[in-house]
Amino acid sequence: MNKYSITEFIKNTEQEDKGEGFFELETPRLLEVNLDGLVWAKAGSMVAYHGRIKFEREGILEHGIGAMFKKALTGEGATLMKANGQGKLYLADSGKKIIILYLQNEAIYVNGNDLLAFEPSINHNIKLMRKVAGMMAGGLFNVRCEGTGMIAITTHYEPLTLRVTPGKPVITDPNATVAWSGNLQPEFQTDISLKTFIGRGSGESIQMRFEGDGFVIIQPYEEVYMQTQS
């Protein structure tokens, strides 16, 4: 265990401007937003800020009637907030590792639980995974982010990116799947034999199957979501 004087500790851990722009990784698990205007962030992810910043939950009619029904079905996990103003904003999510991606007129799907923040230039749209409704409450939705700008996603531990190529599909556990390229549409399949081995409930036998040309980001961790109430 390291021992520091207070002066040494402050020197080793204090905030430092790295000049990286709108999004900066202060630590691998803490995102600094140099705010001058608006940023979208996961509700509840603010850990500190200074300056004049106003927080507002995403309105239920923010994206029209269709989005309202999606939000009602997907629950709190998909809830976003807007931070508006000038200052420095610090975001984190349960100590998860943060990755900053710069989209250049591109699209990516992110598991709704793993999207931490994104610039207002990015269009976002909540997508339901209807085929797993009633099986995995927390894994029911993902967010399609599209455009040019930065997004910040989170993973438990170090992520791994798997290439998907024609004729070589990639199958993943939904609870370990963080994001995938915008041109891929996963299919859901069940594996009865796998369920027999694992024995941890029906959710364990559901798999995501990616076919085509793109990538899938996974994490070495299965996020366990609350089951829906019937």
Side-chain angles (χ1 to χ4, degrees):
M1 181 178 175
N2 292 328
K3 294 180 180 177
Y4 297 101
S5 70
I6 289 178
T7 303
E8 288 170 336
F9 181 76
I10 292 171
K11 184 179 177 182
N12 278 281
T13 61
E14 69 181 334
Q15 182 270 333
E16 175 187 353
D17 279 324
K18 300 182 176 71
E20 293 170 359
F22 188 58
F23 283 175
E24 286 187 16
L25 280 182
E26 276 299 313
T27 75
R29 302 168 197 280
L30 198 62
L31 179 71
E32 177 187 283
V33 183
N34 292 298
L35 194 60
D36 185 14
L38 172 71
V39 69
W40 285 95
K42 184 176 182 178
S45 63
M46 185 276 287
V47 291
Y49 73 91
H50 60 76
R52 298 176 63 85
I53 301 175
K54 180 183 176 185
F55 299 92
E56 184 183 344
R57 244 170 207 264
E58 181 178 27
I60 198 160
L61 287 173
E62 191 92 35
H63 301 289
I65 295 290
M68 178 183 75
F69 287 114
K70 287 182 185 178
K71 287 181 71 64
L73 286 167
T74 55
E76 285 300 301
T79 305
L80 296 166
M81 67 179 182
K82 290 184 285 188
N84 212 331
Q86 287 79 37
K88 289 187 183 293
L89 170 63
Y90 298 93
L91 304 174
D93 185 12
S94 302
K96 292 162 71 177
K97 185 178 176 68
I98 300 168
I99 299 106
I100 299 171
L101 300 175
Y102 182 67
L103 303 188
Q104 300 179 67
N105 196 26
E106 297 165 294
I108 188 171
Y109 286 98
V110 184
N111 183 302
N113 198 46
D114 300 319
L115 183 60
L116 180 64
F118 52 93
E119 290 191 79
S121 58
I122 298 292
N123 294 317
H124 72 285
N125 188 18
I126 296 170
K127 301 280 187 180
L128 282 177
M129 300 184 192
R130 289 184 174 83
K131 290 186 180 178
V132 288
M135 299 180 193
M136 301 172 46
L140 275 176
F141 65 92
N142 52 68
V143 183
R144 180 181 170 88
C145 295
E146 186 169 14
T148 296
M150 284 186 283
I151 70 170
I153 66 175
T154 58
T155 66
H156 286 279
Y157 311 108
E158 301 295 329
L160 177 69
T161 300
L162 302 175
R163 289 286 306 172
V164 181
T165 56
K168 292 186 177 179
V170 171
I171 290 91
T172 65
D173 182 327
N175 290 353
T177 306
V178 174
W180 57 94
S181 46
N183 60 311
L184 297 182
Q185 294 290 336
E187 289 294 321
F188 288 89
Q189 62 185 36
T190 55
D191 188 327
I192 302 304
S193 62
L194 185 64
K195 181 179 170 184
T196 307
F197 284 109
I198 307 232
R200 282 190 287 164
S202 61
E204 294 293 340
S205 65
I206 305 167
Q207 300 168 347
M208 296 175 78
R209 180 185 180 92
F210 295 89
E211 292 196 64
D213 189 3
F215 64 86
V216 183
I217 302 171
I218 59 170
Q219 61 186 5
Y221 183 95
E222 294 179 66
E223 292 197 57
V224 179
Y225 303 103
M226 292 177 59
Q227 299 296 310
T228 48
Q229 302 295 315
S230 54

